[in-house]
Amino acid sequence: MIKPVMLTEPTFSPHSLNKYASLMTLGNGYMGIRASHEEAYTLQTRGMYLAGLYHRAGKGEINELVNLPDIVGVEITLNGEIFSLTSGAIEHWQRELDFASGELRRTLTWRAPGGARFTIESRRFASAQKLPLFAMEVTITPLDADASIVISTGIDATMTNHGRQHLDETQVRVFGQHLLQGIYTTQDNRSDIAISSYCGVDGDAQRCFTAKERRLLQHNSVQAKAGQRVTLTKMSWIDWTTELHTSYETWGRQSLRHLEACVQQGYDALLAESTANWQEWWQGRRVQVSSSDEADQRALDFALYHLRVMTPEHDERSSIAAKGLTGEGYKGHIFWDTEVFLLPFHLFTEPKTARSLLRYRWHNLPGAREKARRNGWQGALFPWESARSGEEETPEFAAINIRTGLRQKVASAQAEHHLVADIAWAVINYWHATGDMQFMSREGMALLLETAKFWISRAVMVNKRLEIHDVIGPDEYTEHVNNNAFTNYMAGYNVEQALHFARQLGCSDETFIHRAEHFLQHLWRPEVQQDGVLPQDDTFLSKPAIDLSKYKVKAGKQTILLDYSRAEVNEMQILKQADVVMLTYMLPEQFSPQTCLANLRFYEPRTIHDSSLSKAIHGIVAARCGDSAQGYRFWREGAQIDLGDDPHSCDDGIHAAATGAIWLGAIQGFAGVSVRHGELHLDPALPEHWQTLTFPLRWQGIDLQITLNATEIHITSTAQINLWVNGTNVCVQGASVVRYGSFMTSKIGTATTERGDE
Amino acid sequence: MIKPVMLTEPTFSPHSLNKYASLMTLGNGYMGIRASHEEAYTLQTRGMYLAGLYHRAGKGEINELVNLPDIVGVEITLNGEIFSLTSGAIEHWQRELDFASGELRRTLTWRAPGGARFTIESRRFASAQKLPLFAMEVTITPLDADASIVISTGIDATMTNHGRQHLDETQVRVFGQHLLQGIYTTQDNRSDIAISSYCGVDGDAQRCFTAKERRLLQHNSVQAKAGQRVTLTKMSWIDWTTELHTSYETWGRQSLRHLEACVQQGYDALLAESTANWQEWWQGRRVQVSSSDEADQRALDFALYHLRVMTPEHDERSSIAAKGLTGEGYKGHIFWDTEVFLLPFHLFTEPKTARSLLRYRWHNLPGAREKARRNGWQGALFPWESARSGEEETPEFAAINIRTGLRQKVASAQAEHHLVADIAWAVINYWHATGDMQFMSREGMALLLETAKFWISRAVMVNKRLEIHDVIGPDEYTEHVNNNAFTNYMAGYNVEQALHFARQLGCSDETFIHRAEHFLQHLWRPEVQQDGVLPQDDTFLSKPAIDLSKYKVKAGKQTILLDYSRAEVNEMQILKQADVVMLTYMLPEQFSPQTCLANLRFYEPRTIHDSSLSKAIHGIVAARCGDSAQGYRFWREGAQIDLGDDPHSCDDGIHAAATGAIWLGAIQGFAGVSVRHGELHLDPALPEHWQTLTFPLRWQGIDLQITLNATEIHITSTAQINLWVNGTNVCVQGASVVRYGSFMTSKIGTATTERGDE
C-alpha cells in the first residue's frame, strides 16, 4: 500500500484559516470543496465548486466559477454555548489531510468558556469512486459531564462569490426524517444543480427542519451522557446539468436514489472504495524521493494530490482552472498554465487525461476562430482566459484604478498571443508521448492547422522578413514589443509542425502548405548574440537595468509596482519571468547547452520571479545546465509558494501551475526527462539533498518505473523501449540498470547502449 | 432639556447580537443602520437600508428592501490579534442607545488572549439634521503597554440580503488620503446609490487602500504608547436617486462636497446639531409616565424613538415598512399597519407626516385601481403588501411546503380586503385631526371615492341585501368567510364617509352618489346578538371552540399550527387576533360600552394573540371598558414583543406596529383619547401602576399639553378648544384643570363644562 505523506495543520489560527482551507481542499476533478471548518469563522471563506460551472453575476462582472450552497457547515451548540475555537481553550489539536485516501480529519479537545470539555472529531472525503458524493462525520463526546448538544446542518444557499449571487432557489424539499434537497438554477437559466443531503445523528436526537432565507436546515438535539459519542453522519450528492431533459421532480428523485444507496453502504465502506481508487491512482503516479529534507516528499505528494483533484478528467468540456477547484482566484478561468505546466504530468502518466484536456481546446475552436476573425486575423486565436464556452473571458478592463477612476484595457487578452503556439506545442507533445494517430488526424490536425494559420496571418513583412509585432511574451512586465523571441520561435515551431503533419497526413490544402512554407522561409527568429544571449525582443537589450535585489526577496508580491508605474517597468530590463529561459525549456532541442546557460545567467538577475510560474522553470533549466544546486533552490522556493509560511499566499486557492511545476521540477529537472526530436531523454541531475528519486513514466503505451541515484538509473519497463540517457541511446526491457559514465547496463537488464549524436 | 431613558444592553452575548442590532438601530426615516458591532461575528447580521429602496434579486424572489454595502464594520487588530469579544475576556462593558440624541455608545475593556488590555470606545449616530449623514468614532487605548494597532474600514459591498444580490458595483474610488467612494446600481438599472466615507485615524498612522472583491478599504497602522488614545473618525454620506440627471462623476463629486463640509464641522458639532433637532422633536411628542415600573417609561421612549427613525417623512413616495428600517423581515413591505397602528401618532403630533403617508397611498392609486380591475372589481383595491411602486408585492405563493414541495397561494393578497377601508378610515381621521380641506378636496376625496367604489362593486346582492363574501378579516386564522363583521362595518363606514364628502364637496358624479346610497341602504351589517356578541362572520359562532391556554402562553409563536393544519384551525373558534374587538376599537362611536365589553369577554378567550398587533388593541378596548388592570397587562405584554427576554424575537427587525401600539395604548387606552363624531374625547383610565401621564397632543392646529392622574387632568392649550372629558364637554384655553367626577375646572383655567349627550 502506498502511503504518501500527510499534510498537517500544526495549530489552529484564525490567520491561516483560508490558507489551509485551500491547501486541504477535497475534490475529485468533478467537485472541489474547500477545507473550511464545520463551525463558522468570520474570516473563513467557504467554497464548493463544480468544474465547468461558471456564471456571470451582473453588469460589469465576469463569468466565474460559481460558489455553490454550502454543505460543510455544522453549527454545534454545547450546553447553550456555540462551539468556536476563538472562544474557550484548545487542549488537543490534530488536523491532517491523508493523501493516501483523500480523507481530511480533525480531532480536538475543547474546553468551553463554561469549563466543560468536549472531544470533537470530524472526517470527510470527496469520493474518488462516485464523483458526486461528499461524505462527512462529526463526533462529539462530552468528557466531564452530561451535556446537551444541538447540531444544525443542511444546505446553505446564502453563499455567494463575495456578494455576487449566481443561483436562484428553484425548489427546496425535505423527505422523511433525514433527507434534504435543494435544486438551484443559475440566474441565466442555463445550469441546474441538485444538492441532496442525508443527515443522521445517532442517539435519541430530537429533530426538526427549517427552511428560511435560503437556508434548509435540520436541527438535532441530544442529551448526551459523559463519555457518550454523538455522531452526525452527513452524505451529500451533488448533481448538475446544462441540459435537463426531465422534470425537477424526476431529476431530484434520481439524485435521492443515488444518495440513499450511499447511505446504505455507509461511511466506512464508501471511504474504503474511494481509498482503493486513490491507491490505484498513486500506483501509476507517485514520485518518491529520499531527501535530507522530508518537506520535499510532502511537496511532491501535495502536488500530485492536487494534480488529481483539480483535473476534470470526466468532462472534456472543462479544463483546469488557475486555482483548480480550491478557490475563486482568477475567477476559476483557464490559462496557458494547463497546457504548459499541467499537461506534461498527464502526458507521462495517463495520456487519456491529456487528450481530454486537448479536446477541451478542440471543442472551443469556434470561439478561438471568432476571436481571430474579430481582430482581423485568420485561424484560431484562443482566448487568454476561458471558461466553459471557449469565449474570451478576460475582463475587457482591468480592475479600476481607484485613484484615477480609470480602467485600463487588459493587455494580455489583446496581445499575449503565445498561448496559441503553446496549445500547438502541447498537441505535439501529446503526439510524441502517445503516437495517437486517431487524435492527430482529427483534433490534433485541426488544432495545428488553425493555430498555424493564425500565426501566418499575424506576421507582417518588414525588411524582407516576417516579423511579429506588438505582442506580450510570458514576461508580462514587458508589453507590446516586436519580435519577442519566445513568441517568434514558438510560432515557428507551431507552423513547422503543422506543415509537417499536413504533409504526413496528406492534407489537400495546398494554399496552407504554400503559405506555411513561405512563412517558415521568412519568419524572423531573433539570433543568439556572440555572448550567447538571445535578445528577448527588438528593444529589450537597449533598456537600462536596475538593481532588483530588494524586489527579488519579495518575489511574487509585485512590490516593484509600488515604486514604478507599469509604463516605467516596461522601459527597463525588469522581468516578471524570463521569456528566453522559458523558451529554452520548451524547445530544448533548438538550443545548445551553452546557449541555455548563457541566457539563464543573463536573464535571471533581471528577473524578479513575480510570477508563480517563474522559479520552477528557471530551476529546471538550471538543472539541465548542470547546476542542480541552483535548480534545487528554485524548486524549493517554487514549492513554498503554497506550502510556505505566508499565511495568506493561497487564501483564494492554490497555484495550480506551481503545483504542476513541483512535478515538472522533479521529473524534467532532476530526473532530466525531456523529449527531443520526438525521443525520450533522461539527463539526471539529482540535487545533493536527494539520494534517490523514483517515479513511474508512461511513454508510448509502455509503463516505466525509474529510480535514480547519484550513480545509476534503475529502469523497469513493460516492453522494449529506446531512450537516451545522458546523450547515450539505451534500449531497455524488464528491469535494467544504467550507470552514468560507463553507460553499461547491468547484468539484470537487457539494455543496450549507443552513443548519441548530440 | 428632555432626557428620555436610555436603552442599555446589559451584557455582551453572541445569542442576542441581532436582537440588539434591531432594537438599537440608528436612523432618521431616510436611512436605517442596524446596531451591529464594528467587529464581525458569525451570527451578526449587518444592515443598512434606505426607505423606499427596493429591488428583486432574481426569479422566484420578491421585491425587498435592499441591504446596502456596509460602512459600520471595522476590523481592529491589536498586536496581531483580531479584536473579537468571543475571544479573550471582557473586563468592563457598557452599551447604550441615547434616545435624547440618537447616539449609540459602547465602552469596554478587553483583555486580549495574549493578556494585553485595551479600552475600546465607540459612538455613532445617524444625523437627524442631515439625513444622508452617518458619523462614527472608534477610540482604542492600550492600557498596559505599547501596542501595534491596525484599523481597517471602508465600504463593503459583499453585503447581500441572505445571499440575494441587488447591486452592481458601478464605480469605486479613493480621493486623497481619507476619502473613499463607491457608486452602486440596482441590477434592474433603476436606482443609483453613492456611498462616500471619510476615514481618519489620528496619530502617526501608516495608511493604504485596497479595492478587491467588492470591498473598498482603508488600512491604518499605528504604534501606540500605553495610555495613548487612537481614534478613528469615520463619516459617511449616502445618496440615492432613481433619476440620475448627471454623470456619475458629477454626482459623486456633489456627494463628496457634502461629506467634506461635514468633516469640517467635526463629530461633536454634527452631533450637537442633530441632538438639537431631536430635542425639538421630543418636545412635541414625549410621553412621560410616573410608574411603579421604570420599564414603562423606557418602553414609551423606545417606541417614540423608533416611530421617528422608521418614518420617511422626507419622501411621500415611501411609507413605513413592517419592520421599519431595522431589518429584512417582511421584506420591508408596507401593510395596513401603517394606517392603523402608526398613523395616529403622527395625526396627533405632526399631521404633516400623516399627510405624507396618506399621499403615499394617493400616489399609488393607479396600482390599486389596476389590481381591482384585474380582479373584476371597480375603484381601488390597494395591495396587501406594497413597496415603492404601489403594485401588489405579496408573493403569489407562500414559502414552499418543504414536505410536499407544494406552494400555497397567499390568501391575504387575494381576500384580505379590509385594508381598503382602513385607508379610508385613516383619511377621515386625518380630516378630523386637521380640518385640512385642501387635502380632502383632492387626495382625500380621490382616496375616499376610489375605495368606496371598490366596496360597492365588491358586494353581492343576496337575500335582498348586499353581502361581502369570501374575505379575510384581521384575524388571519379565519379565511374565506362571508360577511366578516369587521370588513362589512368598515366598508359601510368607508362608503358613508365617501358619500358625505362627495355631497359636501359638491361632487358631480351622480352615479356614484346614487350607487353609494343604494349600497348603504342594502349593506348587511351583522347584528349584535342578545348576549351582546357581534358574530365575527356568518359561520364563526357555529364552529367548535377548544381550550387555547397552552397556545396563549406562547402567543406570537403560532404553536397552534404545530398541532393543527391551517384548514383545521379555520374550522374552529380560534383567533389570531379578534376582529370584532378591533372593530370596536376603530369605530368606537358605533358601539355601546356594553357591546364593547361583551365582545371583549367573548372573543378574548378564543384569541391566541399570535399576531403582534393583537394584545395592544385588546388592551385599549379593555381600558376603554374600564378594566385598566387588564389593559395594563396587555399593554405590558405588547411592549415585551420586542423589549422582552426572548433573544431572537426581533432578529429580523423590530415590530413597527407593536411600537406604534405602545403609544396607542398609553394615549388611546389609558388617557382614553378617542375621536367620536369628529370630536376629541378623553376618558382616562390610568392603570394603578401609573401615578401621572403627561403628553402633548395636537388637535386641529392647537397644541395641548395634558397631564393626568387618578383624580384630575391638567390641560394647557395654545388656543380655545372644546373637548369631551368622560362624556362631558369642556372648553379649555391656557392652563386648566379638570377634576373627574366634579367636572369643574379649577381656577387657573378657563374651561367650561357641559354634560355630553352620550
Side-chain angles (χ1 to χ4, degrees), chain A residues 274-394:
Chain A
S274 179
T275 304
N277 181 305
W278 268 106
Q279 280 294 314
E280 192 190 321
W281 188 88
W282 282 111
Q283 204 72 46
R285 291 161 185 87
R286 189 170 189 231
V287 180
Q288 263 181 290
V289 63
S290 59
S291 167
S292 57
D293 189 337
E294 62 180 25
D296 292 350
Q297 182 63 56
R298 188 170 58 237
L300 283 162
D301 289 339
F302 167 81
L304 265 64
Y305 168 83
H306 275 290
L307 283 167
R308 178 174 202 190
V309 305
M310 71 175 63
T311 306
E313 58 178 37
H314 64 288
D315 175 19
E316 61 185 32
R317 303 306 299 246
S318 299
S319 183
I320 307 170
K323 301 284 187 180
L325 297 169
T326 66
E328 292 163 35
Y330 296 112
K331 308 284 181 194
H333 290 172
I334 294 140
F335 294 72
W336 68 308
D337 306 32
T338 303
E339 281 74 15
V340 176
F341 292 84
L342 302 167
L343 204 80
F345 166 75
H346 299 291
L347 277 179
F348 283 114
T349 56
E350 181 48 271
K352 267 203 312 207
T353 304
R355 182 171 178 272
S356 174
L357 293 167
L358 290 172
R359 278 178 56 89
Y360 164 80
R361 294 294 190 184
W362 176 75
H363 282 298
N364 289 341
L365 269 170
R369 280 200 205 95
E370 173 57 28
K371 183 176 175 188
R373 221 60 79 245
R374 225 178 22 250
N375 287 279
W377 294 306
Q378 296 167 20
L381 172 52
F382 279 95
W384 178 244
E385 301 182 24
S386 60
R388 192 169 183 83
S389 73
E391 282 161 32
E392 180 61 81
E393 304 285 358
T394 313

Side-chain angles (χ1 to χ4, degrees), chain A residues 14-15 40-43 57-61 64 75 77 80-82 84 86-88 157-166 168-177 185-187 189 209-216 248 328-329 331 399-407 652, chain B residues 14-15 40-43 57-61 64 75 77 80-82 84 86-88 157-166 168-177 185-187 189 209-216 248 328-329 331 399-407 652:
Chain A
H15 296 290
Y41 295 97
T42 55
L43 295 175
K59 207 176 47 176
E61 299 293 350
E64 64 186 339
E75 192 184 89
T77 308
E81 287 179 305
I82 295 163
S84 164
T86 56
S87 66
T158 65
M159 297 300 302
T160 62
N161 291 59
H162 297 279
R164 294 181 294 273
Q165 177 196 355
H166 295 290
D168 287 328
E169 200 179 44
T170 297
Q171 188 172 288
V172 289
R173 294 288 296 278
V174 163
F175 302 89
Q177 288 304 300
T185 306
T186 50
Q187 294 199 314
N189 248 329
F209 295 95
T210 56
K212 205 187 160 191
E213 296 287 15
R214 294 174 72 95
R215 279 195 183 96
L216 177 62
Y248 285 120
E328 292 163 35
K331 308 284 181 194
I400 199 166
N401 180 323
I402 55 174
R403 280 284 166 204
T404 62
L406 300 178
R407 293 177 185 273
D652 62 357
Chain B
H15 297 288
Y41 296 97
T42 55
L43 296 176
K59 205 176 48 176
E61 300 292 350
E64 64 186 340
E75 191 184 272
T77 308
E81 285 177 306
I82 296 163
S84 163
T86 56
S87 67
T158 64
M159 297 301 301
T160 61
N161 291 56
H162 296 278
R164 294 181 294 272
Q165 177 196 355
H166 296 290
D168 287 328
E169 200 180 45
T170 298
Q171 189 172 285
V172 289
R173 294 287 296 278
V174 163
F175 302 90
Q177 288 303 299
T185 306
T186 50
Q187 293 198 313
N189 248 330
F209 295 95
T210 56
K212 205 186 159 192
E213 296 287 16
R214 295 175 71 95
R215 279 193 183 98
L216 178 63
Y248 285 119
E328 292 162 34
K331 308 285 180 193
I400 198 165
N401 179 323
I402 55 174
R403 281 283 166 203
T404 62
L406 300 177
R407 292 176 186 272
D652 62 356

